[in-house]
């Protein structure tokens, strides 16, 4: 069965970086985009960007350009999201989700369990 | 950055029907925005319900349906159950920006 398993909670100081992982299983990792979505406490969902494991191509929301890096290691079916220069507003649960992105049909279906990142001095 | 707008909250009686909508600041929502709908309950990850306007996930109950309505994406729940009380989010794709944008969410209360 398809599973996306994320790394554990993190506590970081302002100005630091955090790297969250998302390990995929149950499907061909290279064939699906991996998206990253975050949710601040009591707030809605926010799309951050995605990586296509086959090519490594990335697409980022304008808000995070220059501060986020999404990568993948196809040998271990794992995607990574690295967010730098953290501020308190980056405190959120970070989710990964997969997407079957064909030209005429797109389907975000499975999500990871979420990773809480707390930014505090 | 495009803005995606949903009703902040809606209330429906058990067994009733309710339609949630999803509008784009850029104009009418079409199938080219590949509208998605997700359900989220407190403390849980979002759960996908509808993709590319009207396609259901294999686990989506039959009472959920997606469509385009009056220039917006729409999610209709027919025969609402108490367990449908949740936050619902739509997601749209902006091909020119190669970006996805979530709506602010609709809190659905079953009362």
């Amino acid at each position: 069965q398809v599973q996306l398993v994320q790394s554990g909670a993190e506590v970081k100081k302002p100005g630091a970086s955090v790297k969250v992982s998302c390990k995929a299983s149950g499907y061909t990792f290279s064939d699906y985009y991996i998206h990253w979505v975050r949710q601040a406490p009591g707030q809605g969902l926010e799309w951050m960007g995605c990586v296509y494991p086959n090519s490594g191509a990335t697409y980022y929301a304008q808000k995070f350009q220059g501060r986020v890096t999404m990568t993948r290691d196809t040998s271990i079916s794992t995607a990574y999201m690295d967010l730098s220069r953290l501020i308190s507003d980056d405190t959120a649960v970070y989710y990964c989700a997969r997407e079957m992105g064909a030209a005429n049909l797109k389907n975000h279906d499975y999500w990871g369990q979420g990773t809480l990142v707390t930014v505090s001095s | 950055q495009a803005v995606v707008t949903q009703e902040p909250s809606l209330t429906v009686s058990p067994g009733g029907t309710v339609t949630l909508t999803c509008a784009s600041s850029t104009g009418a929502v079409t199938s080219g925005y590949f509208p998605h709908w997700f359900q989220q309950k407190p403390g849980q990850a979002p759960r996908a319900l509808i993709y590319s306007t009207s396609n259901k996930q294999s686990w989506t109950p039959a009472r959920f349906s997606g469509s385009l309505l009056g220039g917006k994406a729409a999610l209709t729940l027919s025969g609402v159950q108490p367990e449908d009380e949740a936050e619902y989010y739509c997601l749209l794709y902006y091909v020119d920006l190669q970006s996805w944008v979530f709506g602010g969410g609709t809190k659905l209360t079953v009362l």
Side-chain angles (χ1 to χ4, degrees), chain B residues 1-45:
Chain B
Q1 163 94 356
V3 176
V4 178
T5 302
Q6 300 181 242
E7 298 86 0
S9 63
L10 291 170
T11 300
V12 61
S13 300
T17 297
V18 65
T19 297
L20 290 63
T21 67
C22 175
S24 172
S25 62
T26 59
V29 175
T30 65
S31 59
Y33 285 80
F34 301 97
H36 283 61
W37 291 93
F38 302 90
Q39 177 191 67
Q40 188 180 34
K41 296 182 178 179
Q44 297 182 14

Side-chain angles (χ1 to χ4, degrees), chain B residues 10-15 77 80-86 108-111:
Chain B
L10 291 170
T11 300
V12 61
S13 300
L77 288 72
V80 172
Q81 302 296 308
E83 61 265 29
D84 297 333
E85 183 163 293
L108 182 67
T109 300
V110 181
L111 206 57

Side-chain angles (χ1 to χ4, degrees), chain B residues 4-5 8 24 50 68 72-73 89 95 97:
Chain B
V4 178
T5 302
S24 172
I50 301 290
L68 296 175
K72 301 179 184 180
Y89 293 94
V95 62
L97 302 174

